[in-house]
Amino acid sequence: MSPAATPDPPQTENSAEPTTLRDEGPDNGGTLNAMKAGAAVPIKFGVGGNRGLDILAAGAPSSSVIACPGGTAPDEVEQTVAAGGSSLSYAAGSDTYTYVWKTQKDWAGRCRQFTLGLNDGTTHTALFDFRK
């Protein structure tokens, strides 16, 4: 994508509201997603078409340790995948990007915020509670 291009706002499958993470992936925003530390989770998102594989902002995605939010029941991640490492792919048939995020086993017992930054300047987050 050229720097002068203005991308369409990211869209979910079920909503006209801009967001990145789709319903079949980890929940976007304030929902705490629970999963096994060391597993790989597919983060699915759309940007309004195929923008190539050079759509991530420099240094993105990233994650950081956060205090686990209290008072919220975690939502179990329904899908994890086998992966040797993190990777980005695009499926034209579903107009969906998938970033497979390989997590670390030593994250067990901690919460992290996953941040997906795109080269159009948008940033989207998901919260995770990692278990053994």
Side-chain angles (χ1 to χ4, degrees):
M1 171 185 333
S2 70
T6 303
D8 296 330
Q11 300 289 314
T12 63
E13 289 180 301
N14 303 336
S15 170
E17 247 182 81
T19 189
T20 297
L21 305 177
R22 295 189 184 203
D23 290 339
E24 68 267 28
D27 295 314
N28 189 9
T31 300
L32 184 61
N33 299 283
M35 64 178 285
K36 183 177 178 180
V41 62
I43 309 282
K44 298 181 181 190
F45 63 99
V47 294
N50 185 355
R51 310 283 173 145
L53 294 178
D54 188 25
I55 62 166
L56 301 178
S62 64
S63 74
S64 57
V65 175
I66 60 169
C68 290
T72 304
D75 183 26
E76 291 294 325
V77 171
E78 293 86 16
Q79 180 185 16
T80 58
V81 296
S86 296
S87 63
L88 178 68
S89 62
Y90 176 75
S94 61
D95 187 28
T96 303
Y97 282 91
T98 301
Y99 183 82
V100 176
W101 182 38
K102 176 69 171 115
T103 67
Q104 303 298 314
K105 287 184 180 181
D106 63 358
W107 293 351
R110 297 187 182 153
C111 291
R112 294 185 80 86
Q113 177 176 288
F114 174 85
T115 301
L116 179 71
L118 302 178
N119 64 9
D120 66 1
T122 58
T123 302
H124 307 277
T125 61
L127 306 178
F128 290 87
D129 180 2
F130 290 100
R131 301 191 176 144
K132 292 182 182 182

